[in-house]
């Protein structure tokens, strides 16, 4: 017996927001897996920039590159939640977006080393214009939301033209201000498009929450992988580093595991009840994803410092981990905890974030940070769960 014949082209109609058993598809999982290559390429130069005491240029480059990765991933995710037809054309168009992600990953090195964003821009534009084709398909099939889809297609196309024109901007133009203007233009497109007649798009709250959760896992896993490579390289230099590296490895693993625990302690789908709340929640994850990946870079810096390959102080080494951890805690609190929690527990995450920023002032900053996160997990899992949720 043979299975059902696949369709080449299906009508791209909006999916039901209450569709049961709406889970991530194999194509979405493959999409995430390919995107993590770009995440790894962005985190590695950040690690080396910090270790070589080039903090500000490295951080600027990382945040700029990570925006392109995150924004392209996020727009595909929300589109797929509403219009995943899984026909052959849809799959091929998604593979074009994946190819764009790999082109972007190939351009990370020149962007960090030479401030050359040409390859990254090409990869980014490939990903975004492939999504324009998807929105045009949606505009033909989903008549009630035709205006929304056309606004997306128009807005994304115009902004991509601006990104391309940026490559020919005079060298005297400041890079960062121009970049920020284009970022604001990009993130304004969904806000403008969703206000059209027939909106908003029919994203699935459970599906969106799962997709974000899976990408959080992948980014945290990339942190573990980055740290593992650094540990392996250090161990190859000799056994006299074994004890200090073992201590760092245990503490680093506890930190990453605690970050995972805190993110997944509560379900997020009930928070995605309005388009305004969903956009705030979705946009805020830029900081969660970027800080999670930066933790891996920070662990690599800690290994370099322990093996005397870093050109920075122990305090700055501690901040290479403590700062992304603090940012992660704050935004997990802002997006996941604050809408749920009431009472004194509402302040546990912000207090922990502040205390995390104090750990580099000690001699065992990573170990103390691990202890702090374990305490936060314990408090959040006991006292925090005794307080009734404010949302269902």
């Amino acid at each position: 017996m043979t299975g059902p014949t696949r369709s080449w082209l299906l009508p791209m109609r909006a999916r039901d927001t209450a569709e049961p058993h709406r889970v991530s598809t194999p194509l979405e999982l493959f999409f995430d897996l390919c995107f993590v290559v770009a995440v790894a390429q962005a985190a590695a130069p950040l690690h080396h920039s910090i270790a070589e005491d080039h903090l500000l240029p490295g951080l600027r480059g990382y945040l700029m590159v990570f925006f392109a990765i995150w924004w392209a991933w996020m727009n595909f995710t929300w589109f797929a939640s509403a219009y995943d037809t899984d026909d052959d054309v849809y799959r091929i168009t998604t593979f074009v977006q994946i190819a764009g992600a790999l082109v972007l990953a190939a351009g990370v090195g020149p962007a960090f080393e030479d401030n050359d964003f040409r390859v990254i821009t090409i990869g980014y534009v490939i990903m975004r214009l492939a999504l324009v084709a998807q929105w045009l398909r949606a505009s033909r099939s989903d008549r009630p939301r035709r205006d929304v889809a056309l606004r997306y297609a128009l807005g994304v196309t115009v902004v991509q033209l601006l990104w391309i024109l940026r490559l020919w901007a005079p060298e005297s133009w400041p890079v960062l201000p121009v970049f920020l203007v284009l970022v604001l233009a990009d993130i304004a497109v969904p806000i403008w498009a969703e206000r059209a007649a027939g909106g908003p798009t029919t994203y699935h709250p459970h599906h969106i929450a799962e997709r974000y959760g899976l990408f959080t896992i992948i980014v945290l896993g990339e942190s573990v992988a980055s740290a593992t490579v650094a540990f392996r390289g250090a161990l190859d230099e000799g056994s006299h580093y074994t004890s200090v590296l073992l201590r760092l490895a245990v503490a680093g693993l506890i930190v990453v595991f605690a970050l995972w625990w805190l993110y997944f302690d509560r379900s997020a789908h009930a928070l995605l009840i309005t388009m305004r709340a969903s956009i705030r929640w979705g946009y805020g994850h830029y900081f969660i994803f970027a800080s999670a990946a930066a933790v891996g870079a920070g662990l690599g810096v800690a290994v370099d410092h322990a093996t005397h390959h870093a050109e920075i102080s122990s305090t700055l080494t501690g901040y290479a981990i403590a700062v992304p951890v603090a940012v992660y805690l704050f935004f997990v609190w802002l997006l996941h905890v604050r809408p749920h929690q009431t009472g004194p527990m509402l302040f546990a995450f912000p207090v922990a974030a502040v205390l995390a920023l104090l750990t580099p002032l000690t001699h065992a900053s990573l170990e103390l940070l691990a202890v702090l996160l374990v305490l936060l997990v314990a408090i959040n899992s006991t006292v925090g769960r005794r307080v009734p949720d404010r949302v269902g």
Side-chain angles (χ1 to χ4, degrees), residues 5 23 27 29 33-34 39 48 104 117 157 176 180 182 203 241 279 289 303 325 336-337 342 351 369:
T5 303
V23 296
L27 180 58
L29 297 177
L33 183 63
C34 294
V39 173
H48 296 300
L104 186 150
F117 289 88
T157 300
L176 189 56
L180 291 176
L182 293 178
Y203 64 91
Y241 294 122
I279 287 178
F289 294 154
V303 172
V325 166
H336 280 195
V337 178
T342 60
V351 169
L369 183 61

Side-chain angles (χ1 to χ4, degrees), residues 100-159:
L102 299 180
V103 172
L104 186 150
V108 170
F112 271 87
E113 296 168 10
D114 305 318
N115 208 31
D116 182 356
F117 289 88
R118 286 177 296 179
V119 176
I120 280 185
T121 301
I122 292 170
Y124 181 69
V125 171
I126 290 173
M127 291 186 289
R128 302 293 282 138
L129 291 183
L131 189 62
V132 169
Q134 300 279 44
W135 279 115
L136 290 175
R137 281 191 64 191
S139 71
R140 295 184 60 186
S141 300
D142 188 7
R143 304 300 295 182
R145 297 170 186 81
R146 174 182 171 82
D147 290 346
V148 176
L150 288 177
R151 280 196 182 191
Y152 268 109
L154 175 62
V156 173
T157 300
V158 169
V159 176

Side-chain angles (χ1 to χ4, degrees), residues 148-232:
V148 176
L150 288 177
R151 280 196 182 191
Y152 268 109
L154 175 62
V156 173
T157 300
V158 169
V159 176
Q160 298 326 294
L161 291 175
L162 294 177
W163 281 110
I164 294 172
L165 290 174
R166 173 180 173 270
L167 297 177
W168 282 274
E171 293 185 2
S172 59
W173 285 23
V175 174
L176 189 56
V178 174
F179 174 82
L180 291 176
V181 169
L182 293 178
V183 166
L184 291 175
D186 239 334
I187 65 177
V189 170
I191 299 173
W192 171 65
E194 294 291 347
R195 292 179 176 178
T201 51
T202 57
Y203 64 91
H204 194 290
H206 284 271
H207 178 245
I208 289 294
E210 182 193 32
R211 296 288 292 116
Y212 273 72
L214 289 172
F215 201 68
T216 300
I217 291 174
I218 288 176
V219 174
L220 287 173
E222 171 54 33
S223 289
V224 174
S226 299
T228 300
V229 171
F231 283 118
R232 181 68 266 171

Side-chain angles (χ1 to χ4, degrees), residues 58-139:
L59 183 60
R60 184 189 68 171
Y62 174 73
L63 294 176
M64 292 171 69
V65 169
F66 204 92
F67 168 79
I69 298 169
W70 161 76
W71 188 244
W73 176 89
M74 176 178 146
N75 278 261
F76 166 80
T77 296
W78 287 81
F79 178 88
S81 187
Y83 292 108
D84 183 3
T85 59
D86 197 32
D87 56 22
D88 293 340
V89 172
Y90 179 86
R91 288 187 172 192
I92 292 170
T93 309
T94 302
F95 289 151
V96 172
Q97 291 177 269
I98 290 173
L102 299 180
V103 172
L104 186 150
V108 170
F112 271 87
E113 296 168 10
D114 305 318
N115 208 31
D116 182 356
F117 289 88
R118 286 177 296 179
V119 176
I120 280 185
T121 301
I122 292 170
Y124 181 69
V125 171
I126 290 173
M127 291 186 289
R128 302 293 282 138
L129 291 183
L131 189 62
V132 169
Q134 300 279 44
W135 279 115
L136 290 175
R137 281 191 64 191
S139 71

